[in-house]
Amino acid sequence: MTLKTITLTVNDMVETVDVPQNMTLLQMIREKLSLTGTKNGCAAGECGACTVLMNGEPVNSCMVLAAECEGANITTVEGLAKAGKLSKLQDTIIQAGGVQCGFCTPGMLISATALLKRNPNPTDTEVRSAIVGNLCRCTGYVRIVDAIKMAAK
Amino acid sequence: MANAKSKEQVINPIGASFTRNDVYEKVTGTAIYTDDFQFGNKLLYARAKRSPYPHALIKRIDTSKAEALPGVKVVVTGKDFPNRIGLYLQDKTIFATDRVRFIGEPVAAVAATSEEVAMKAIELIEVEYEELEAVFDAEFGASDKAPLIHPDLDKYICPNFIFPKAHTNIANHFKIRKGDVASAWEKCAYIVERSFKIPHIQHVPIETHVAVAQMDEKGKVTVWASSQSPFAQRNLIAHALHISQSDLRVIAPMVGGGFGSKAGVTMEAVPVALATKCKGWPIKFILTREEEFYTNFVRQGLTIHVKVGCDKEGNLLALKNMMYWDGGASTEYGTNVTRAGGYSSSGPYDIPNVETDSICVYTNHPIGGAYRGFGMSELHTGLDQAIDELAEKAGIDKVTFLKKNGVSEGDVLVTGMIMHKNGIQECIDNVAKSLKMGEKEKPSSPDRLRGKGIAIMWKAPAMPPNPGSSAWVEMSEDGNVTVGLGGQEIGQGTFTVMAQMAAAALGVPYEKVRIAGPVDTQYSPYEWQTVASRLTWSMGNAVVLAAKDARRQILETVAEAWKESTEDLDIINGVVVSYKSERETSLENIVIYGMPKENNEGWTGGPIVGRGSFMPKYVTNLDAETGQGPRAVVHYTVGCEGLDIEIDKNTGTIYVLKGAASFDVGKAINPALVKAQVEGGFAQGLSSAMFEEIKLVKGVMTNPSFVDYRIATAPDMDFPLDTPFVEVPQDDGPWGARGVGEHPMVPTIAALGNAIYDAIGIRLFNPPYSAEKIYLAMLDKGLVK
């Protein structure tokens, strides 16, 4: 498999990585950069566990080829806290009790972060539709929605 | 003394909603799950060759081409691993040996230097099959016309409370014969007889199953697995491989959802088998989402025929249940699901005459295993809907009917066991009040019909009579406490609750307690399995005993040093105080170094290590013919759920206006975590009620993806959910606590079915209650045109 060398920004760090042509962004993040916070739940773009921000927009990183990420700006769950300080949403999801097994949490936090950036004051319905692609099997979404609304305030 | 630490305001850890002790790692992406461990360049990737047939003889397997492929390190087949294993009935081998029994059953596996090579190698394995007639229906499977799926059933090993029938497909036949059902029907003024078919569903943890195995040169095996049962896996896999349990080490980090699917042994044995032939190499096996749907445990299907009757006043008199469980190709775990369905077959109702046949049948379907509250959702789906109709037939308000017949202290249960104190009346009241049951309310538009439904439930921990728990408590120089335990944090919050219990029993603030993780069978104390909603109660008891043991050691040390009696000493807020002399000392240092005795007499104490062990000893076996015995189970948790819904006449779509759920948890150690469990369980129950079904056509699952197998999303849960809990203490629970992890999804299908009936007047017998089914039913009855 031919390798392609790409340079991109991940969590504010410039990274240069050799990637096989068929490697996904998810695989690159987990295997090449050892950022294992981003999770693989289906590898088919259906569960949202692998959601990252790509140039500010949430994407399923299992559906993006790493080779296409030249120059991209990527934020993963590891990039949400700045200098050891949790983001407001990370804080509210703790306070609201919106985490159980935690496997959907990274993707959920990324989708909700993107929502609050484009819509700082979302309605309940807007919150729910922003995370419709992030499946959670533990919480019934109750406290996750609470957390996003708390962060919006 | 004035500013003594012992006098600082301290929160009682019991009943406090502390935030979870695993949450910082989980929100920052630093929590470690199995697939996050780094194994370096030596890591090999495993894939399984799976059966394309539901039932066939294996005539020939040729692995030579796969073995010759560059990058392939090892190929294994069933011939090397003939030992049968199973949690209850030992009917399963790691790989199929002479025959395959379901589509997806592993027949061989490879380990290679990359996923791609492993997948190519799988394609190169040649297997020749001779197809056999298959069984796709449990009732047919139980008949003498069905082909045998396990002809050697009579030779399989099982405990003495499982009753397989030799030379049939019946892996367990559990019977209840209580009272005299036949003559009781004559005394019934009203009788309802109904049949329901509950489909197979999937647990759908967002993290699929994953395990890594490595054998060292001396033959010791280490397994890293996403697991609810590291100790059961150690025992069963060691047995399968003919190695000693102590030569098999299971390390179980955070689990991305289990719901029963990661209990017992399933795919974890595959990489271990490979590792035994490839010493020194770590081998990772991770299920694809498609494999997750049908190659591992599923919730088995149930066909239930229920007949129930009451007298003119609405007192339940008789119940007859005929349950056929579609156990699938192996019933190693499913036999106990059937048993649980049998010994709890009356539901939480006081019924003097009960006859139950709960029959576990081999079929050529995916393997049925433990699924959150196993047997109970399925059973209650039939029973609670039949009883809903019976109440209506008797002309009695449904809430009144449930309260009249709900099980209470002193009742002789379906197995002859005497019921303990419980809060079912309060649970029913809570739900009835929350939803204004009995009050007919208007729909929000003329295009919609409105209805309310209510259902009650019970569930006992379903397990062998004697599953053990153990714990230790150690301390460090700073006075912080570490609790060792073997139960797993699978999202339910057990590590947090155990820390709360240890803090309270020891006398230190909650923040001072850590849990020793990940659970590792080499260091962690034994725990049977993280199943059955048993940890808060069973592991909780062990942790409390360990903390009390540590506390005793500390007090004895201080008493000797101060020449006082331990009875005058206490530990408050992490400080030892004497009520007699008013002296105090913090725990720092003394828990490691002990204390100097006065007058230069030397030292006392030493490193503190407390131990605790708990095992229920009072559960008895039941008579094979009648299902009667003194004590079938440790205890029951009871509860009630209800739904207020609207149905769109044009589409059949259900809109939930409000949900309510109330369970008797004995004592809520952490109320926020209890509520979170109830919310999540309610959502999972509702998802199973509205959407979920493994669609099986001649043994093929036709919908193995999230597109075709839909689970509830955030917009589906857009309604207020009221979750008041009840606290009637459990006599042998820590602070009276009993489990509630599984219970919230048990009555949900029935509650929804009853609400649909209230809205449209039609009873639906085949969940899931999809919009399509509801619309077609309304069309059929002329409700819509």
Side-chain angles (χ1 to χ4, degrees):
Chain A
M1 184 77 60
T2 39
L3 296 178
K4 185 181 174 190
T5 303
I6 58 164
T7 298
L8 74 173
T9 306
V10 180
N11 301 335
D12 301 330
M13 300 273 284
V14 177
E15 305 275 3
T16 299
V17 200
D18 294 331
V19 295
Q21 298 283 2
N22 65 347
M23 179 174 259
T24 65
L25 175 58
L26 172 62
Q27 289 167 326
M28 186 199 78
I29 291 167
R30 288 183 56 86
E31 294 163 24
K32 293 280 181 181
L33 303 178
S34 300
L35 292 169
T36 55
T38 303
K39 301 303 182 200
N40 176 14
C42 70
E46 293 165 2
C47 76
C50 69
T51 309
V52 299
L53 292 180
M54 183 174 179
N55 303 323
E57 293 297 321
V59 296
N60 286 317
S61 62
C62 70
M63 292 280 98
V64 176
L65 285 174
E68 290 171 351
C69 293
E70 174 65 39
N73 189 356
I74 305 292
T75 304
T76 70
V77 65
E78 290 93 341
L80 293 179
K82 302 286 181 201
K85 191 181 175 338
L86 298 182
S87 74
K88 192 170 181 193
L89 188 63
Q90 284 174 309
D91 199 44
T92 58
I93 203 167
I94 292 175
Q95 298 314 321
V99 176
Q100 286 189 30
C101 86
F103 209 75
C104 76
T105 307
M108 201 65 86
L109 286 168
I110 294 288
S111 290
T113 299
L115 166 73
L116 295 176
K117 213 167 186 182
R118 68 173 181 267
N119 180 358
N121 197 15
T123 64
D124 202 279
T125 306
E126 285 167 342
V127 168
R128 286 176 188 275
S129 59
I131 57 168
V132 67
N134 293 88
L135 297 179
C136 171
R137 192 59 157 171
C138 296
T139 66
Y141 307 97
V142 176
R143 286 158 196 265
I144 294 171
V145 171
D146 288 350
I148 299 170
K149 283 157 61 184
M150 276 162 70
K153 272 178 195 160
Chain B
M1 286 294 294
N3 293 316
K5 275 169 88 180
S6 63
K7 304 282 167 62
E8 284 169 18
Q9 188 66 33
V10 63
I11 302 170
N12 179 1
I14 302 304
S17 292
F18 291 114
T19 55
R20 308 171 58 100
N21 53 13
D22 59 355
V23 74
Y24 183 87
E25 291 80 1
K26 285 178 173 177
V27 303
T28 52
T30 54
I32 299 296
Y33 298 79
T34 302
D35 194 32
D36 302 337
F37 282 119
Q38 305 289 316
F39 293 94
N41 291 335
K42 241 185 143 180
L43 181 66
L44 300 179
Y45 299 84
R47 300 303 309 158
K49 176 82 174 175
R50 298 184 180 281
S51 168
Y53 296 108
H55 198 193
L57 295 176
I58 298 172
K59 305 305 283 185
R60 183 181 67 91
I61 303 182
D62 183 350
T63 59
S64 55
K65 285 179 191 157
E67 282 161 21
L69 185 71
V72 171
K73 291 285 178 191
V74 63
V75 183
V76 294
T77 64
K79 69 177 187 322
D80 296 325
F81 306 98
N83 278 11
R84 293 194 176 278
I85 54 170
L87 195 67
Y88 292 95
L89 174 64
Q90 294 179 21
D91 70 356
K92 197 163 77 172
T93 47
I94 300 173
F95 302 98
T97 51
D98 55 336
R99 71 166 76 195
V100 289
R101 296 179 171 89
F102 75 103
I103 292 173
E105 181 168 8
V107 294
V110 304
T113 50
S114 74
E115 284 272 358
E116 289 77 12
V117 174
M119 286 194 303
K120 239 180 247 166
I122 286 300
E123 296 304 315
L124 293 175
I125 297 173
E126 293 168 10
V127 188
E128 198 184 306
Y129 295 97
E130 180 187 321
E131 249 196 292
L132 298 171
E133 191 193 342
V135 175
F136 300 123
D137 178 82
E139 280 193 73
F140 169 71
S143 74
D144 54 14
K145 294 182 193 70
L148 290 187
I149 296 172
H150 285 265
D152 294 333
L153 175 59
D154 57 318
K155 299 184 187 75
Y156 296 171
I157 297 165
C158 67
N160 63 0
F161 52 82
I162 302 291
F163 308 109
K165 281 174 86 174
H167 314 301
T168 73
N169 287 322
I170 297 174
N172 191 18
H173 185 159
F174 182 92
K175 296 177 196 168
I176 290 282
R177 301 289 183 267
K178 181 199 178 198
D180 181 358
V181 171
S183 61
W185 298 124
E186 292 160 21
K187 297 180 193 121
C188 290
Y190 308 101
I191 293 172
V192 166
E193 200 168 354
R194 291 299 193 194
S195 296
F196 292 82
K197 194 163 179 150
I198 295 99
H200 294 76
I201 62 170
Q202 228 298 318
H203 312 71
V204 196
I206 306 301
E207 177 200 36
T208 62
H209 281 67
V210 52
V212 182
Q214 186 173 22
M215 181 179 257
D216 71 11
E217 292 301 328
K218 282 171 74 185
K220 287 196 171 188
V221 180
T222 304
V223 179
W224 295 259
S226 177
S227 171
Q228 296 178 232
S229 308
F231 290 91
Q233 288 171 351
R234 173 180 75 174
N235 184 33
L236 295 180
I237 297 173
H239 181 75
L241 300 179
H242 263 311
I243 64 173
S244 148
Q245 280 88 349
S246 47
D247 283 341
L248 200 144
R249 173 184 181 188
V250 181
I251 299 171
M254 286 296 164
V255 177
F259 316 111
S261 72
K262 292 168 182 171
V265 171
T266 53
M267 53 73 78
E268 301 80 15
V270 170
V272 180
L274 286 163
T276 61
K277 308 285 179 191
C278 191
K279 283 183 183 175
W281 297 74
I283 300 173
K284 182 186 284 186
F285 187 38
I286 181 162
L287 294 190
T288 65
R289 179 54 63 182
E290 178 176 340
E291 286 177 311
E292 183 74 26
F293 269 111
Y294 62 87
T295 69
N296 244 49
F297 282 149
V298 299
R299 186 169 94 183
Q300 54 197 24
L302 171 66
T303 302
I304 177 169
H305 306 292
V306 50
K307 182 179 177 185
V308 59
C310 66
D311 65 16
K312 260 202 316 232
E313 287 75 41
N315 298 301
L316 287 171
L317 294 182
L319 170 70
K320 186 172 157 57
N321 274 316
M322 194 65 160
M323 293 184 256
Y324 291 96
W325 301 88
D326 185 336
S330 156
T331 63
E332 54 119 342
Y333 214 132
T335 43
N336 198 45
V337 176
T338 303
R339 183 170 178 268
Y343 64 61
S344 292
S345 58
S346 66
Y349 302 97
D350 179 27
I351 313 177
N353 305 290
V354 182
E355 184 179 321
T356 296
D357 291 274
S358 184
I359 299 170
C360 186
V361 187
Y362 283 123
T363 64
N364 296 108
H365 278 155
I367 295 173
Y371 185 135
R372 198 172 193 172
F374 64 61
M376 295 302 104
S377 293
E378 304 93 304
L379 162 73
H380 283 81
T381 295
L383 181 60
D384 284 338
Q385 293 198 70
I387 283 184
D388 191 69
E389 282 192 55
L390 187 65
E392 186 186 41
K393 223 170 167 177
I396 298 173
D397 162 69
K398 285 166 189 176
V399 172
T400 310
F401 194 89
L402 295 181
K403 291 193 70 173
K404 184 191 260 293
N405 289 290
V407 72
S408 55
E409 187 181 11
D411 285 348
V412 179
L413 299 179
V414 61
T415 54
M417 174 176 158
I418 306 299
M419 187 59 186
H420 51 82
K421 233 179 356 176
N422 73 88
I424 199 158
Q425 298 290 330
E426 296 90 325
C427 293
I428 297 170
D429 285 339
N430 283 341
V431 170
K433 191 176 157 209
S434 176
L435 297 181
K436 298 183 193 157
M437 288 298 299
E439 216 175 286
K440 194 77 191 166
E441 292 183 79
K442 277 191 185 151
S444 60
S445 111
D447 284 340
R448 292 187 180 185
L449 296 163
R450 187 162 175 181
K452 296 177 187 177
I454 186 169
I456 57 177
M457 65 74 65
W458 74 354
K459 187 201 161 287
M463 53 196 188
N466 57 337
S469 293
S470 56
W472 48 253
V473 164
E474 285 186 344
M475 304 182 76
S476 45
E477 292 87 340
D478 54 16
N480 284 344
V481 179
T482 302
V483 178
L485 42 69
Q488 264 294 59
E489 177 55 69
I490 61 171
Q492 81 283 49
T494 197
F495 282 5
T496 306
V497 166
M498 292 304 131
Q500 289 180 241
M501 289 188 187
L506 201 48
V508 302
Y510 164 73
E511 294 74 16
K512 295 215 131 205
V513 182
R514 322 287 161 92
I515 301 297
V519 171
D520 179 336
T521 58
Q522 182 163 294
Y523 306 112
S524 304
Y526 178 84
E527 183 66 51
W528 180 60
Q529 293 195 95
T530 298
V531 296
S533 306
R534 57 183 281 281
L535 290 191
T536 301
W537 166 76
S538 180
M539 186 163 77
N541 276 329
V543 166
V544 169
L545 287 169
K548 284 185 174 165
D549 188 32
R551 177 189 165 86
R552 177 187 56 79
Q553 295 168 36
I554 295 165
L555 294 185
E556 284 174 2
T557 301
V558 176
E560 194 179 352
W562 290 351
K563 294 195 163 70
E564 293 197 34
S565 160
T566 54
E567 279 145 41
D568 296 322
L569 302 177
D570 200 355
I571 306 177
I572 301 168
N573 207 10
V575 177
V576 183
V577 297
S578 165
Y579 295 118
K580 195 174 163 196
S581 63
E582 298 201 358
R583 291 172 80 173
E584 4 179 296
T585 176
S586 114
L587 294 179
E588 284 164 32
N589 297 321
I590 67 167
V591 291
I592 298 289
Y593 305 118
M595 291 174 81
K597 290 200 236 176
E598 288 172 354
N599 305 324
N600 200 22
E601 286 170 7
W603 290 73
T604 178
I608 299 297
V609 50
R611 61 165 289 277
S613 141
F614 175 80
M615 188 182 89
K617 298 184 176 76
Y618 43 69
V619 172
T620 60
N621 272 356
L622 304 174
D623 183 86
E625 291 307 313
T626 64
Q628 301 299 296
R631 186 142 178 197
V633 298
V634 290
H635 56 255
Y636 280 97
T637 296
V638 299
C640 179
E641 283 183 359
L643 285 151
D644 181 359
I645 64 165
E646 288 183 341
I647 290 173
D648 189 318
K649 284 198 260 185
N650 299 314
T651 62
T653 305
I654 295 169
Y655 295 90
V656 179
L657 303 179
K658 190 176 181 187
S662 186
F663 293 85
D664 176 9
V665 301
K667 172 71 189 175
I669 305 297
N670 183 316
L673 286 178
V674 166
K675 283 177 169 284
Q677 279 305 293
V678 175
E679 291 156 5
F682 190 96
Q684 205 170 107
L686 190 60
S687 184
S688 72
M690 298 203 296
F691 308 126
E692 294 183 38
E693 174 178 19
I694 291 178
K695 290 184 179 157
L696 290 163
V697 180
K698 291 193 187 309
V700 180
M701 180 179 181
T702 61
N703 58 335
S705 76
F706 282 131
V707 172
D708 298 312
Y709 185 105
R710 171 151 148 52
I711 65 168
T713 62
D716 297 317
M717 287 298 295
D718 194 1
F719 55 86
L721 177 58
D722 201 10
T723 58
F725 53 78
V726 172
E727 295 178 308
V728 176
Q730 177 64 33
D731 60 2
D732 65 349
W735 291 275
R738 63 175 87 78
V740 72
E742 304 165 294
H743 309 72
M745 83 173 284
V746 169
T748 327
I749 300 178
L752 182 68
N754 293 343
I756 293 168
Y757 181 79
D758 191 46
I760 66 175
I762 303 170
R763 182 68 60 185
L764 297 172
F765 302 101
N766 299 49
Y769 302 136
S770 62
E772 183 186 8
K773 266 183 209 163
I774 294 171
Y775 182 78
L776 291 175
M778 291 193 295
L779 200 63
D780 190 46
K781 287 277 153 74
L783 268 173
V784 293
K785 281 177 200 148

